[in-house]
């Protein structure tokens, strides 16, 4: 059985960017996270101990996003590694981190990265 915990469209303001101004004023970021896990026992017994709390995942993501990075690749890698190390039930992480309206002279919704860690 394949199960996933999903946080989709999490919007956070953070201070990531190559340019100094980006790290001063910050920008909005959108995060999508999928964590492979096995919560088959939780489906039977309605007990949080058999799964990963998405509220706890939110706190992990928020904590890592609060640490300024020049590159979204670095921030995304830190988030994914933290999830894998903090939640023993996490088998893999798929994480998409997008900077909303990045300052690159293009009209786009966002730009970012997607990583998958086993």
């Amino acid at each position: 059985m394949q199960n996933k915990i999903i946080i989709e469209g999490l919007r956070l303001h953070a201070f990531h960017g190559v340019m100094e101004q980006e790290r001063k004023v910050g920008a909005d970021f959108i995060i999508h996270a999928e964590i492979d896990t096995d919560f088959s026992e939780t489906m039977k017994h309605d007990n949080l101990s058999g799964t990963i709390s998405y509220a706890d995942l939110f706190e992990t993501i928020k904590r890592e996003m609060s640490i300024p990075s020049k590159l979204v690749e670095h921030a995304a890698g830190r988030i994914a590694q933290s999830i894998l190390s903090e939640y023993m039930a996490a088998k893999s992480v798929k994480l998409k981190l997008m900077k909303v309206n990045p300052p690159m002279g293009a009209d786009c919704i966002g730009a970012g990265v997607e990583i998958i860690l086993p």
Side-chain angles (χ1 to χ4, degrees), residues 39-50:
F39 55 76
S40 55
E41 288 302 310
T42 302
M43 291 189 293
K44 298 175 194 171
H45 303 294
D46 198 24
N47 187 334
L48 185 59
S49 67

Side-chain angles (χ1 to χ4, degrees), residues 54-115:
Y54 49 80
D56 291 343
L57 284 171
F58 164 69
E59 291 299 326
T60 298
I61 294 167
K62 185 172 81 169
R63 181 191 72 229
E64 294 300 330
M65 285 294 289
S66 73
I67 303 167
S69 293
K70 289 182 181 176
L71 303 176
V72 293
E73 292 88 341
H74 185 254
R78 220 179 35 243
I79 293 167
Q81 289 291 348
S82 291
I83 290 170
L84 288 174
S85 66
E86 292 174 28
Y87 305 96
M88 300 311 286
K91 296 177 182 174
S92 69
V93 175
K94 180 178 177 181
L95 188 97
K96 184 176 179 181
L97 176 57
M98 302 290 293
K99 181 182 282 191
V100 176
N101 193 24
M104 61 183 194
D107 183 14
C108 70
I109 294 170
V113 298
E114 180 176 85
I115 60 174

Side-chain angles (χ1 to χ4, degrees), residues 6-33:
I6 300 170
I7 294 180
E8 188 168 338
L10 174 62
R11 187 180 198 103
L12 294 172
H13 191 82
F15 300 89
H16 309 305
V18 173
M19 295 183 287
E20 184 179 342
Q21 183 68 7
E22 292 178 282
R23 292 188 306 276
K24 282 185 181 179
V25 299
D28 287 342
F29 293 82
I30 304 292
I31 299 109
H32 303 284

